Amino acid sequence: MNKLIEDQEFEGPGRALGYTKACSAASRTIPRSRIKIYFDLYEDASLFDDGTKWSKSGRHLYAMGRESSTDNKKAYLFAGCSSSRLKGSEKQPAPLQGRLEFDKPVKGTYPANTPATREAYLTVLHSVTLAVVKKLGCEGDAGLPEKPVFTEKKWRGEQ
């Protein structure tokens, strides 16, 4: 959490420090859960809805946060946070990115890329992201609803 605050203060409003992980969570128990969650600041170039036809690769876009998308390996949730704890965010919301990664099991393959898999990933990522934005004191919970939204959207390149 403090790393997010430091990154926003160092780089200023709307600027991401790069691809350093501001905070992360992973299971320390054995066997590991094979799920990792990271948070950092992002730049607009990190957003997926850039005109690329991502659905060909199995990635689906959802109407949650600034942007959210998932497939059977990773989920992303982007939001903007205005908080007194994030310097400059009162002028331009701090760009927060949550990322959930699922490691390929040693035996077998990734789970099937089904609505149930994608919704499960987004449910976990939404829950953790909502806790982070609440802890940061983001106005209006950074636009995130109390419960995840699974309404799919079309990619700009497919409209």
Side-chain angles (χ1 to χ4, degrees), residues 8 12-15 41-42 44 66 79-83 86-96 138-139 142:
Q8 177 69 10
R15 293 285 305 143
L41 299 175
Y42 71 89
D44 284 348
R66 178 167 181 197
C81 173
S82 295
S83 168
L86 297 169
K87 185 178 178 180
S89 68
E90 66 282 349
K91 295 177 185 172
Q92 181 176 351
L96 301 179
C138 300
E139 290 180 15

Side-chain angles (χ1 to χ4, degrees), residues 7-26:
D7 285 356
Q8 177 69 10
E9 185 171 339
F10 177 74
E11 289 293 325
R15 293 285 305 143
L17 184 57
Y19 294 101
T20 59
K21 291 178 281 198
C23 58
S24 63

